């Protein structure tokens, strides 16, 4: 096993929730806990990305976002990971290829909010993602209709599992995806940044760090 990566035994089911987590919030916490239950997963990893190729806004430093994520998400089966930075990958399809090589026999499931499904067809190698790992889509407030009408949802409609079959997703033959409705906290990283709460938190963290080294 590569240094710095947690042990996973063959046969385990692991959900991967990618994003900038700039910052992580209770919506991420709730979607992760729901994914463990809804899809019958053994683990969920938060893949905190170095940056998002689709966004102009560049996030806060990775170490700050990792620290904030660990502070808000405390669960024995949810792991906060900087795998993309360690692997040197920029796109989801690349990350998945590396992880599948590192963990033969582990069943990975890509997790996303319904808002991401709505623009999934813009992701690099998005078909490859759907063709190689099951995808679990978690509905967020206001995103259900646009997600279900998205190009990816229409093209892969024959491979969609019913919500009642969600616990079968991790072991389904690809392509396979499942859309589930879960109650969620109506929170977003962009709203937190707009209110200035994240920048204030970074300033406090920076001041604390400076005090510790003074």
């Amino acid at each position: 096993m590569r240094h710095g990566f947690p042990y996973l035994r063959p046969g385990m089911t692991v959900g991967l929730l990618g994003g900038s987590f700039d910052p992580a919030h209770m919506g991420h916490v709730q979607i992760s806990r729901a994914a463990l239950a809804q899809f019958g997963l053994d683990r969920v990893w938060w893949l905190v990305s170095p940056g998002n190729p689709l966004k102009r806004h560049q996030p806060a430093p990775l170490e700050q976002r990792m620290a904030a994520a660990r502070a808000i998400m405390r669960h024995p089966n949810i792991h906060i990971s900087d795998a993309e930075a360690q692997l040197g990958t920029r796109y989801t399809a690349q990350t998945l290829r590396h992880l599948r090589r590192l963990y033969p026999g582990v069943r990975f499931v890509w997790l996303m909010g319904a808002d991401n499904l709505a623009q999934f067809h813009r992701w690099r190698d998005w078909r490859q993602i759907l063709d190689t790992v099951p995808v679990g889509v978690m509905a967020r407030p206001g995103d259900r209709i646009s997600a279900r009408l998205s190009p990816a949802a229409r093209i892969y409609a024959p491979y969609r599992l019913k919500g009642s079959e969600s616990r079968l997703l991790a072991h389904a033959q690809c392509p396979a995806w499942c859309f589930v409705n879960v109650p969620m906290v109506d929170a977003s990283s962009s709203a937190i940044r707009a209110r200035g709460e994240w920048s204030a938190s970074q300033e406090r963290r920076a001041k604390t760090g400076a005090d510790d080294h003074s």
Side-chain angles (χ1 to χ4, degrees):
M1 178 51 53
R2 182 168 176 158
H3 178 70
F5 284 77
Y7 171 75
L8 296 174
R9 66 179 181 276
M12 291 184 74
T13 56
V14 180
L16 302 173
L17 182 65
S20 57
F21 296 92
D22 186 34
H25 52 71
M26 289 307 298
H28 295 126
V29 172
Q30 191 160 346
I31 199 174
S32 301
R33 290 178 178 272
L36 284 170
Q38 292 269 19
F39 299 119
L41 302 172
D42 296 311
R43 301 284 189 276
V44 166
W45 284 14
W46 286 11
L47 297 181
V48 184
S49 65
N52 187 332
L54 293 180
K55 292 184 178 180
R56 293 182 180 179
H57 165 78
Q58 289 307 303
L62 178 60
E63 61 272 15
Q64 292 185 14
R65 290 181 284 125
M66 290 282 291
R70 291 189 178 110
I72 197 172
M73 183 70 263
R74 298 180 181 274
H75 191 288
N77 294 328
I78 298 177
H79 173 66
I80 312 303
S81 173
D82 61 350
E84 290 186 325
Q86 292 191 57
L87 295 170
T89 56
R90 190 180 180 198
Y91 296 97
T92 298
Q94 295 174 322
T95 302
L96 289 171
R97 284 195 295 269
H98 280 277
L99 289 177
R100 293 175 71 219
R101 283 197 294 265
L102 280 173
Y103 293 101
V106 171
R107 299 287 299 180
F108 288 108
V109 176
W110 185 255
L111 302 173
M112 66 169 69
D115 57 334
N116 278 324
L117 179 62
Q119 49 112 36
F120 192 49
H121 59 286
R122 296 175 55 202
W123 292 27
R124 176 170 294 192
D125 298 327
W126 66 274
R127 289 174 182 265
Q128 183 183 107
I129 296 170
L130 275 163
D131 289 341
T132 54
V133 298
V135 174
V137 182
M138 318 285 281
R140 296 176 61 178
D143 292 322
R144 293 175 175 86
I145 295 177
S146 60
R148 285 175 168 156
L149 296 178
S150 67
R154 293 199 308 269
I155 293 169
Y156 281 82
Y159 306 103
R160 177 182 168 188
L161 275 65
K162 298 177 181 178
S164 60
E165 301 172 318
S166 61
R167 293 181 69 86
L168 303 177
L169 180 66
H171 296 283
Q173 181 177 348
C174 294
W177 65 286
C178 186
F179 189 104
V180 296
N181 294 314
V182 295
M184 289 190 182
V185 176
D186 190 7
S188 74
S189 297
S190 58
I192 293 172
R193 292 195 304 270
R195 293 195 297 267
E197 297 171 11
W198 180 221
S199 57
S201 174
Q202 292 179 71
E203 290 173 4
R204 287 195 299 271
R205 190 179 300 274
K207 184 178 185 301
T208 301
D211 291 343
D212 290 342
H213 291 87
S214 61

